[in-house]
Amino acid sequence: MASPAFPPSTEPLAVLSALVGGGRYGLKIRFPHALVMTALFRRNLTAKEKLRSIVKLSMEHATNLAAFAAIYKVGVALWRGASATILWLRTLCCG
């Protein structure tokens, strides 16, 4: 049986990396957008409320994107494991 392309020990690191990268990218994308949109359309808020809204929106987006990236990586890892098992069973059964 051939060795897997990605050893199982790298999978948790890939999930952690996706979690951090997704959060960082989500914050990088959402913060400027929230800043501009809050400045343009939320004129009735005080400066403190605007800042709180910007931070809340940015953190929510970063959290959602980080969770999506981590769940995706877990799914990919599970699929790799399942395909390796199926390949092994097919090889065992069919030769």
Side-chain angles (χ1 to χ4, degrees), residues 33-88:
H33 181 263
L35 183 68
V36 169
M37 297 306 279
T38 301
L40 288 176
F41 298 112
R42 304 287 304 263
R43 294 181 185 262
N44 59 338
L45 299 178
T46 65
K48 187 176 181 179
E49 289 171 334
K50 284 182 183 180
L51 183 62
R52 184 172 287 142
S53 173
I54 291 167
V55 169
K56 179 181 172 268
L57 290 170
S58 300
M59 291 305 294
E60 182 180 349
H61 188 258
T63 303
N64 289 343
L65 197 56
F68 176 80
I71 290 169
Y72 175 80
K73 284 294 186 174
V74 167
V76 167
L78 291 174
W79 184 255
R80 270 196 201 120
S83 349
T85 303
I86 291 169
L87 179 64
W88 180 80

Side-chain angles (χ1 to χ4, degrees), residues 3 9 28 33 59 67 91:
S3 63
S9 60
K28 181 176 123 178
H33 181 263
M59 291 305 294
T91 305

